[in-house]
Amino acid sequence: MRALRAVLAVVMLGSASSAAVSGELRIHVVDPQGQDLDEAAVALLPQGPAPPRPAGAEAVIVQRDRQFVPRVTVVQTGTPVQFPNHDTVRHHVYSFSPIKTFEIKLYVGTPAHPVVFDQPGTAVLGCNIHDQMVAWVHVVDTPWFAVTHRGQARVGPVPPGAYQLQVWHPRWPSGRAPYRQPVRIDERGTQLRVQLELAP
Ligand SMILES: [Cu+2]
């Protein structure tokens, strides 16, 4: 009887772990001085085709107190982004970046149509009226991404396996391809520290 109970326990453990086969990346991103880096965009690119964008996925970049909030947004390729203006002053949002060139001329409230970011890469956004306003939309071919806070981010759950880790930051030298390294995500999760060489 005791032996049978042991077998049952093993079977149940086996089915529990196979039902939850997913991993996670826990990453710590630091600058060249070893300080925690906020606003780093982290993405896990699968080796095969990426799963499609979750239905209804969209992003929102608010304008408040004459700033974009958040400053760094990561989206999967094809994602619509809304730009509601919560200020009483008008803003004029634009991007000259090759992956997405657009402008939303002087407006208040929420523009009628979102902007769809349909190519991977990074778009720099500005406002024609307020020079200090800046934001970045980092577009990736994967639904698995995060932005660091106090140097930390978690990406997942993802199926265990081999990925390319991609890390980008606003102070990453413009024109240089984002930082990449191969990474293996296992079922118990993978922990990693990345030090980025940034422009001063
Ligand atoms: Cu403005």
Side-chain angles (χ1 to χ4, degrees):
M1 190 61 198
R2 197 175 285 167
L4 177 59
R5 238 184 255 155
V7 169
L8 276 174
V10 167
V11 168
M12 286 172 69
L13 274 176
S15 63
S17 62
S18 66
V21 177
S22 65
E24 178 188 62
L25 172 68
R26 292 187 293 280
I27 189 170
H28 182 200
V29 183
V30 296
D31 72 6
Q33 286 74 43
Q35 300 296 309
D36 292 348
L37 204 52
D38 279 346
E39 300 185 316
V42 178
L44 286 175
L45 303 166
Q47 298 205 313
R53 190 167 54 83
E58 67 163 29
V60 178
I61 301 174
V62 166
Q63 296 136 63
R64 185 186 296 135
D65 299 333
R66 301 178 193 201
Q67 299 292 342
F68 289 111
V69 183
R71 296 204 317 156
V72 172
T73 299
V74 189
V75 296
Q76 185 170 3
T77 310
T79 301
V81 179
Q82 296 277 7
F83 291 94
N85 177 1
H86 289 188
D87 285 332
T88 49
V89 296
R90 294 193 291 173
H91 295 295
H92 184 139
V93 179
Y94 70 87
S95 156
F96 295 131
S97 300
I99 67 148
K100 192 71 195 178
T101 302
F102 72 92
E103 61 178 331
I104 311 172
K105 292 180 180 168
L106 285 169
Y107 70 99
V108 290
T110 299
H113 302 288
V115 177
V116 176
F117 288 80
D118 45 16
Q119 282 183 57
T122 305
V124 188
L125 312 182
C127 172
N128 252 355
I129 314 301
H130 307 103
D131 282 344
Q132 83 280 6
M133 290 177 66
V134 63
W136 296 267
V137 179
H138 185 65
V139 187
V140 290
D141 282 332
T142 174
W144 299 307
F145 51 75
V147 176
T148 57
H149 179 64
R150 294 182 182 154
Q152 310 282 337
R154 286 165 173 254
V155 184
V158 299
Y163 292 83
Q164 282 287 329
L165 166 68
Q166 176 170 299
V167 186
W168 175 89
H169 187 269
R171 276 165 56 209
W172 186 253
S174 64
R176 200 206 283 182
Y179 172 90
R180 277 198 184 176
Q181 77 167 71
V183 62
R184 175 161 282 280
I185 308 296
D186 67 38
E187 288 165 39
R188 286 166 302 173
T190 299
Q191 224 159 342
L192 205 63
R193 180 180 185 271
V194 168
Q195 185 157 32
L196 285 187
E197 290 173 40
L198 297 175

